[in-house]
Amino acid sequence: MSDQNLSITLTVNGLERELGVNRVDCLLDVLRSAGYKSVKRGCDTGDCGMCVVLMNGQPVRSCMLRAVEIDGAAVTTVEGLVAPDGTLHPIQRAFVETGAIQCGFCTPAQMLLAKALIDSNPNPTEADIRQVMNSAHCRCTGYVRLVEAVQRAAAMMRGEEVPPVSHIALTLPGPGDPLELPEPYYRQGQYATSGPLPPLVYTPPEMAQTEFVGAPQVKVDAVKLAKGYPVFTDDVLPENTLIGALLTSPHAHARIKSIDTGKAEALPGVHAVLTYKNVERVKYATGGQSWPQPEPYDQVVFDDKVRHVGDRVAAVAADDARIARRALRLIKVEYEILPPVVDMVEAMQPGAPVIHDEPDTEGIYDAQRNIVYHIEAETGNIESAFAEADHVFEGEYLTPKQQHVNLEPHVCVTYWDEDDRMVIRSSTQVPFHVRRIVAPLIGLPIKRIRVIKPRIGGGFGNKQEILLEDICALLTIRTGRPVRMEYTRTQEFNASRSRHPNIIRYKVGVKDNIVTAMDLYLLGDTGAYGTHGLTVQMVGGFKGLTLYNPPNARFISDVMYTNTPPSGAFRGYGSMQCQYGVEVIMEEIADQLGLDVVEFKRNNWIKIGEPMYLSKSLGEGREGYEQNLATSGMADCLRIGLEATDYYAKREQFKNQNGRIRRGIGFAVMMHGSAIAGLDMAAATLKMNDDGSFNLLIGATDIGTGSDTILAQIASEVLGIPVEDLIVYSSDTDFTPFDKGAYASSTTYLSGMAVRKAALKIKDMLLAHAAFMLEIDDPNSLTLADRRVTAPDGRSVTLEDIGLSSFHVENQHQIMATDSHVSYVSPPPTAAQFVEVAVDMETGQINTERLLMVVDCGRVINPITAAGQVEGGISQALGFALTEEMLFDAEGQPINPRIGPYYIPRASDMPPTDVIFVQTDEPSGPYGAKSVAEISIDGVGPAMVSAVHNATGVWMRQLPLTPERVWRSLNGK
Ligand code: FES
């Protein structure tokens, strides 16, 4: 049988299609080539489940099936669920309504799994649903709203009425008043069968009422994602697009002695080959941060030295993926293999291999000892405080190298437009930083580059890096053709970014049961390149010493190069590592002093009005600003969590258990930040249309978080119009105003304020034009609500009237405004995380029985999307606490660079996961909002350690708590 030009017939979504295939083509590729772009690629090993379709009604992984072997089959994709008139299938409706769609990359697979399940079992249990969902991962949702969506869809398909999806709103009682807590939030009885709960929102009675802000608005992009429209980077390719592919290093540390690309270049269908020999050596750093990025600029596009397995060696552009892969195999590289160092402690020892010995990198703290950064900051007098303390405690805590596992890999498409400008369509969190950082690498001025961010299939910090855009653009420059490049899943593990592993050493002085001194030494592993190494540790030091904010504190950090894939930005950003350390040592101290840990923490945590002592010396990469804590809901978060979990009774009950399975409960308190004070800027534009609708143009980057929606809600609140009257567009460097991008928990707080300011300008313009139309002298006497401006005498004009008048009739002008926002404070959201576990004393296996987070994120702009952020963060935190760790052998070879063996939580790994909000009114935030995305990941690790200690009496100091580690600790090994 020839490899080429075979033909098969498939019935796809009820239509018979004759499709040309190659003998080795998988069904996934054939379907995507035929236009069924809802079928996604997240790996090629059958691990991720993004490519699930229904074949003859049964779910199959289309990447694992050869198309020629299923000739004649009937295939269903999500496009086939939509009725011809565009009406959504009940499953699609349920996913939209419940908030089950965040980034939407897993959504098609999850909906098809739901369909197969409900078709065979119209009334599935929660366990049935979770079991089926195990076939496709979701990294965004924690599966809470996914389970709810399938339950709702099943009810709809059984013909039952379903209530509107909403949250539960309650008034927050005063400190001494009894707490009203709905019964299900106590989670009594059988945890596993009690189902997802709606988010619960407590509001202080004095907080102002809002209309659109605070409502459970459906995400503005949910329907197109539910329909499987081609909205992701890889879904739309220009004609004649070449396929780029990357050759990466098989060695952790080596010098390239020679590289021969002759055979690859001669291969028919190959159009360009790039190596260090034909690409200019321009120093840069890949971290997508504001200008100027912290030194050192320790990377070049291609180097003659490789510093980790997965480091760049060469790239090709070819007619198709098969030719590109073949060309990579034809590149002959001769390496001088150098000894690697993969351990951050060994890396600083005398005689360790020097990773950055190149002469042209400036700004490494001590290159000979592989120390890229050394940070020191201090407040008060730490030594005298230790000398005067009643007790001094010390503890060392270790955290793992965690991978983001964003299910959409890094992918970008580059092409020249008709004005000879370079267009970069990229799955990025930072389109404006991409434009600025790529410009010198590809030799074009910023004005000749346009970066477009389509829908993004998850980022979590990993896409705050410039990883493929430079190479892809260079290949377009070399060939004159559009080029598409995408990381393989192995490259996601080996060549993208990950969380910094840390060794965290705390020394804590306590006098009269008050923490008077805290010393934190933080050793961080940035891997082969510096990128976010400085800022992650600075944030870690700041948050790790500010949660309890002793007046005497010292922070020292060394950030190490090792021959492992670079660490970078990852949700939590140093803060989660150090708050894990400080929360566990606070537990240990209370345990040793015989104190109630709740009281001990409550007496010591930072209080409203206190200065954050290190806010100035530990800015993010530069000096920061003096800040005080303006709002905190921590006391209420803890109080509610204690009540909802019956913490004290269980804590007592679980002490001194016997038997194989022992249960435990623990908690942690956390604080995070909202944007980077005085550094990052966001802007927004509102532009009116003839019919009274508005375009909301935002540089802020919705990567699945729902930021497009909540920013629209903020504009709605100011303008008195429903969200459906706003056409939201993010982000395109040609058409949307600057925004630093999606990171640092900044979008709601910073971009939200920019939207509010722009909307207030628009409001003034609307009132002015309405006053002109109504012949009223004082525009401020008018009111704007319900799409209309009304005068005190009752006369009114609609926004459509104003649009038509201002465009076409009188005092003609464009009603349009742009505003921007910088904040010199970064108000911390606060929270309490509760964890309940059962530990198998014979195997060390931990079964998580319940996760509850009570969160103060200021004003909750959208309870459903905010809860989704928390639920997703909690599930990533559970992976961090229990299973996720990138492992390397002594030669720096990755041991588990696949989704399967790396192991992120699946649907059935997630216990009941509940979210309760306690609103506070942050004066510097839009309508009182702070951030929510990152604090959600900070607490599970320490709360888990606390719970395991409650169950077993053993303190675990190294994450993740794998069964082997727990077993060893239980057995004193
Ligand atoms: Fe599931 Fe993003 S919504 S991976």
Side-chain angles (χ1 to χ4, degrees), residues 100-107 137-141 407:
I101 302 171
Q102 288 194 24
C103 80
F105 200 74
C106 74
T107 301
H137 285 290
C138 177
R139 195 58 158 164
C140 298
T141 65
L407 286 165

Side-chain angles (χ1 to χ4, degrees), residues 547-548 579-580 583-584 587 601 634 638 666-670 831-835 852-854 938-944 946:
L547 181 59
Y548 294 100
Q579 291 192 73
Y580 152 71
E583 280 298 274
V584 177
E587 290 264 351
K601 289 184 181 179
M634 202 179 287
L638 183 57
F667 82 97
V669 292
M670 305 86 79
Q833 173 74 58
F834 289 78
V835 172
L852 165 68
M853 190 167 190
V854 193
D938 290 341
V940 173
M944 179 69 69
S946 169

Side-chain angles (χ1 to χ4, degrees), residues 827-842:
T830 59
Q833 173 74 58
F834 289 78
V835 172
E836 297 181 43
V837 297
V839 183
D840 186 327
M841 302 296 285
E842 290 188 10

Side-chain angles (χ1 to χ4, degrees), residues 248-256 304-313 335-343 353-357 370 494 527-529 561-566 887-895:
T248 60
S249 170
H251 305 295
H253 199 192
R255 212 172 290 284
I256 297 175
D304 60 355
K305 187 179 183 189
V306 288
R307 297 177 180 83
H308 65 94
V309 172
D311 209 352
R312 297 167 165 196
V313 174
Y335 294 98
E336 175 196 350
I337 297 173
L338 303 170
V341 57
V342 297
D343 179 279
V354 177
I355 295 170
H356 280 273
D357 52 359
N370 295 310
N494 295 347
Y529 298 103
Y561 285 129
T562 60
N563 291 114
T564 58
L887 299 169
F888 301 88
D889 69 14
E891 299 305 310
Q893 292 294 330
I895 291 172

Side-chain angles (χ1 to χ4, degrees), residues 578-590:
C578 291
Q579 291 192 73
Y580 152 71
V582 76
E583 280 298 274
V584 177
I585 199 166
M586 290 294 283
E587 290 264 351
E588 292 190 45
I589 292 170

